[in-house]
Structures are given as structure tokens and as C-alpha cells.
Amino acid sequence: MSLKSDDPNYYAHQYNWKSESGSSRKIRILDSTLREGEQHPGVSFTIKQRIQIAWMLDSFGVDQIEISPVVSPDHMEATKTIIRQGLSANIVAHTRAIKSDVDVAIDCGATWVATYMGISDIHLSAKLKISREEAKARALEVADYIKAHGLKSRFTMEDASRTEPAFLIEMCKEMNRRGIERISIPDTVGIMRPRGMYNLVKMVHDSIDTSKTSLDVHCHNDVGLALANALAGCEAGADQIHTTIDGFGERTGIPSLAETAVALTLIYKSNNDLRLHMLKDLSKTISEYISLPVPESKPIVGDSAYKHKAGTHLAAILRNPAAYEIIEPKVVGNRRKIVFGELAGKNGAAYLLSLLGLETGRHEAETLARGLKDLRMGDILELYLDDRLERKILNDAAVKVSPSTKE
Ligand SMILES: [Zn+2]
């Protein structure tokens, strides 16, 4: 991704990088499709599907894959099998902050264990029914237990964004002192705005020894700010974002893997080694497994993500797709599509005529454009454009209809 003034995204990048050092750092991805994703209503995978998903995520290039072995015997078997595969990504066994849960993770052969505890007053009173002191004692006992077994670990401060700051810091410092490798700072209910998430993560980051402990961000999408908040948390010092394929999770989920991967690569210039071309297939696979269609308008992987309809857009796209696309569809495994109908205008009509091998002069194009409008049937035809077809259209038709003519 070059920063050259002939790059159509040049000025956008200038704004994005203003007042920053300009040096990018790697922001890692933990994918939780097998844990958070399965908490989405209606989502449940078979053991075989879980193993397949882990393989796909690993070859895509995520850094960590999270799975909960304590949910059911099937989950335990899947966790054991996935750990035995020897994948490049760390397999993180997710458990409650209870010794017997940690024992299950150990039985699975886990080397990474993530435990969590809701530490906001509302979670302590409504869910755990214990005091802060009891919560702290319980969490630290489990942290010591994990460390005594020589495991790497993450502790999730559930509902961190609604926890009294002094108590949150106290808990983080204790975990930091014990050498817990990662602390996750979640916005469990999706209440934060990006600036707030930045402030929260910065406060934690500045309070601990970050040579011993790194920070994760786990942001929920209740008002659609999950990815923005997660990225703001990374700007404040976190270096790992939790995602799921297509963003599935409790309620409205967490950031989607595709959106996060493209944001990190294209906008944050994070140095990840990701097979972006797998994104569409990852989404399709999950959609088939759970029999839930991918919304057409879903960024990056949706069928409309690279669909162009209005005549003026069509005309520009066929001259230079960068006019309306920030990343080539094939880079993320998607395809460009054009739509012909009442909005096609002269340029769109000319392209359609060209495709059909007909005369593409101004008169013919105007007649067809009027005909498409008069039909009043909305979109009539959608076509995938492969490279060969795009070149043909460009060569055959674009020159014959003036680009400056108003639609
Ligand atoms: Zn969550």
C-alpha cells in the first residue's frame, strides 16, 4: 500500500496518519468464531466443522484461535483434536475463572488458557453474587493455579468499560505482577465511543508493565461501533483485536474478521501475513454451516460489496475501478458486479449493448436507457465482470459515449 500522490487514496491516508509517527506496528487478530461465534443465537458447529474452521483460520493467518472446551464433551473433543493439529496459531482454551475449568483445558493439552470474570458492580451483584474482594481473591487464585501449571494465559476483565477504574487497575496490576501474558479489555455491552475506548485502554496500558503483559480488545457491536472501538483501543496501546467470521457473537456480535483484516492491512498498514483472498470463502463456509445467509450489504464479503448500479458509477468504474473501490474485489476473494436497470443511464446502456454485440452509438444507447426507464421494473440484469469482460467493455463501448454527458 504505497503512499504516493498518484494513489487515489493518497489524501485519505494523509488525514488518517496526521499527527502520527507514520510508523505502523503489527496489530494481531484473535478469532473467536469457535467460542464467541457459537454464542450467537442459532449457531452451533459439529466437531468436524470446528476442526475445519480452525484449519481455515490458521491458513488465513490469524494469531490466536479461541475455543471453549468446557461447553460440552463435543467441544472438548474438538479442542483436543485442534490442539493436536500443531497449527501455527496459538489455540486458546477459554474457561471460567474456576480451577476445575482450567483442569479441563489442561486435559485437552492446552498451552494457552483464557479465563474471565465480570468485575463491574452490576456483574458482581447480578451474575456472580460476590463482593469485589471475593472476586479478586477468586481470580488471583485461578491465575496462580494457571501459572503453577506453566501455562500461558490471558485474563479477561469482563465488563471492563463499566467497572470502577481503581478496581479495574488494581486487578490488572495483580495479573501483571503474576506474569499473565495478556489482559483483555472488553466493552462487553457495546457502550463505548472510540474516544472512550482509547481513554480506557490508555489508562490500563499506562498502569502496567507492558513488557510482561500485552492487551487485547474485545468490543461488542450493540450500536455498530465494535470495530471502531477496537481500533481506537489499539491506537491506545492494545495489540490484539478479537473477531469472529462475519462478526457473529452474543446479541449483535463483535468485529468481523473480514472488516478487521482489511482495516488493519489497508488503513492501519499493520504488518500481518494474511491470506485476504480467503475472506469471501470463509464467510461462505460459515454461512453454509449455520444456514444463515450473509447480508448482501455486508462490507468486504457481501454480494453487494462490489456491485455498481448508477449510470455515472458504472461509467467511472469501467474506466478506473478505484473511482468507487478502495480495494480490488479479487484481493478479498469477492467479485465485481454491475447492475443494469432504470438507473443505468446512457453509459450503462452502451455497455449492455456492447456485451450483447450490438451497435453502441449515442442514439442506440439513449434509446435503450429510455426503454429501461420506461419499463419501471427496477434492476433488470446483474452481471459478474471478469477481467476479460471488463477489458472488452472498455475497448468496445466507453469511447463511443461521452463521459462528460450528464446522466
Ligand atoms: Zn464477547
Side-chain angles (χ1 to χ4, degrees), residues 127-148:
K127 191 167 79 167
L128 300 170
K129 302 185 190 73
I130 54 176
S131 67
R132 282 186 192 171
E133 289 66 35
E134 285 168 295
K136 185 177 159 190
R138 196 185 283 183
L140 296 185
E141 197 186 339
V142 172
D144 287 338
Y145 188 71
I146 290 169
K147 279 296 156 201

Side-chain angles (χ1 to χ4, degrees), residues 32 35-37 39 66 94 156 158 186-189 218-220 242 248-251 253-254:
S32 187
R35 198 278 296 172
E36 176 83 48
Q39 290 176 222
E66 185 173 74
H94 188 266
T156 292
E158 194 187 4
D187 179 24
T188 303
V189 293
H218 180 100
C219 295
H220 273 267
H242 293 193
F248 290 118
E250 285 281 0
R251 309 183 306 281
I254 62 173

